[in-house]
């Protein structure tokens, strides 16, 4: 039984932080799939005020600053990840916060863009984070976030049913010498799209990710696997 008031993956990411920061950009699933996909959907950020929600070790916030974002604010539930993010992108404001709780320290309509890379999956009830993102965005602002693709996640986790939000676990073996059990939530398409619409967002696009072409020469097996079934989705939405 999980504690609904405690972030389910906090302990796992505290253990994984250093290794994840060192290896993720060279991993097929991250550096050659989700990373280029979400950056492509985000597009130009020059002059924008951006919130990176669930920033991890700071890969995306670093790239946003390099691409000309005027201001980047970021948070993560893991103190270890926040320390790594601060070291990677000193120009950003980074702090510890739980996406499942209100972000009381941030002002209404303070951002042009909210981005979130593979983080909101770990929150059971999306009404709080999506409501906060809506509050924090200026009129016409965008929300771009990535999640596990329901088809790939169902194949990976094998939950008892394809319907509803369900607590699941996976054992990660590719980052540390000892395997790390990472809790997560499986959710189908309707539990991704409907909460977004209920929070007042307009859906601009749904993008199913594919491996970057250069992965084929580096790891043809993982490239073929990534082309055989979708691993992630990037959601592009906007405020009214």
């Amino acid at each position: 039984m999980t504690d609904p008031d405690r972030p389910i993956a906090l302990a796992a990411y505290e253990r994984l932080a250093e290794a994840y920061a060192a290896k993720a950009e060279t991993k097929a699933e991250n550096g050659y799939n989700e990373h280029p996909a979400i950056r492509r959907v985000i597009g130009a950020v020059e002059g924008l005020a951006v919130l990176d929600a669930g920033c991890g070790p700071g890969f995306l916030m670093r790239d946003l600053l390099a691409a000309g974002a005027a201001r980047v604010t970021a948070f993560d539930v893991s103190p270890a990840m926040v320390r790594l993010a601060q070291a990677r992108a000193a120009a950003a404001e980074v702090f510890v916060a739980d996406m499942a709780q209100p972000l009381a320290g941030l002002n209404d309509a303070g951002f042009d863009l909210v981005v979130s890379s593979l983080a909101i999956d770990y929150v059971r009830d999306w009404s709080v984070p999506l409501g906060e993102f809506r509050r924090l965005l200026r009129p016409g602002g965008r929300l771009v976030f990535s999640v596990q693709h329901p088809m790939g996640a169902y194949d990976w986790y094998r939950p008892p049913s394809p319907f509803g939000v369900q607590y699941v676990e996976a054992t990660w073996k590719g980052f540390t010498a000892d395997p790390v059990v990472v809790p997560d939530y499986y959710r189908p398409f309707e539990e991704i799209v409907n909460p977004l619409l209920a929070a007042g967002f307009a859906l601009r696009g749904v993008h199913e990710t594919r491996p970057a072409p250069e992965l084929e020469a580096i790891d043809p097996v993982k490239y073929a696997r990534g082309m055989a079934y979708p691993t992630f989705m990037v959601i592009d939405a906007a405020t009214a």
Side-chain angles (χ1 to χ4, degrees):
M1 183 68 67
T2 61
D3 181 350
D5 296 321
R6 180 174 175 78
I8 60 169
L10 175 57
Y13 274 105
E14 286 289 278
R15 288 183 60 193
L16 286 164
E18 293 284 349
Y20 187 91
K23 297 180 181 180
E25 290 188 292
T26 63
K27 298 278 286 181
E29 297 81 4
N30 302 102
Y32 292 93
N33 193 320
E34 191 272 343
H35 288 192
I38 192 171
R39 284 153 180 77
R40 186 165 51 251
V41 176
I42 290 169
V45 297
E46 187 171 359
L48 300 184
V50 186
L51 175 66
D52 186 353
C55 64
F59 301 133
L60 184 53
M61 54 186 264
R62 171 204 63 199
D63 294 346
L64 293 166
L65 287 165
R71 173 170 57 91
V72 175
T73 303
F75 70 87
D76 198 273
V77 74
S78 162
M81 288 291 195
V82 166
R83 288 192 295 272
L84 291 163
Q86 288 171 327
R88 181 167 273 110
E93 176 191 356
V94 193
F95 58 94
V96 177
D98 181 0
M99 195 184 298
Q101 304 299 325
L103 300 166
L106 299 178
N107 295 328
D108 293 3
F111 297 93
D112 303 296
L113 172 66
V114 174
V115 298
S116 187
S117 173
L118 299 180
I120 198 171
D121 276 329
Y122 297 108
V123 178
R124 175 181 281 277
D125 179 4
W126 281 12
S127 63
V128 172
L130 291 177
E132 285 294 274
F133 298 160
R134 181 71 179 81
R135 175 182 71 83
L136 294 169
L137 281 166
R138 295 167 182 156
R142 289 174 68 210
L143 167 64
V144 178
F145 65 98
S146 58
V147 293
Q148 293 187 75
H149 194 289
M151 288 177 61
Y154 184 78
D155 186 67
W156 173 253
Y157 290 118
R158 292 293 178 180
S161 165
F163 305 110
V165 179
Q166 300 176 57
Y167 176 87
V168 291
E169 294 180 345
T171 301
W172 289 17
K173 301 178 181 179
F175 288 100
T176 56
D178 297 322
V180 177
V181 175
V182 181
D184 206 341
Y185 289 112
Y186 161 82
R187 69 190 71 230
F189 285 99
E190 67 179 4
E191 295 290 352
I192 295 170
V193 174
N194 290 340
L196 188 69
L197 300 177
F201 286 95
L203 187 62
R204 287 166 44 101
V206 176
H207 305 267
E208 296 172 313
T209 73
R210 297 167 177 80
E214 54 266 34
L215 180 64
E216 187 171 17
I218 298 168
D219 192 331
V221 173
K222 287 192 174 180
Y223 177 82
R225 186 181 304 160
M227 293 298 290
Y229 67 93
T231 308
F232 306 111
M233 290 196 314
V234 181
I235 310 297
D236 185 3
T239 61

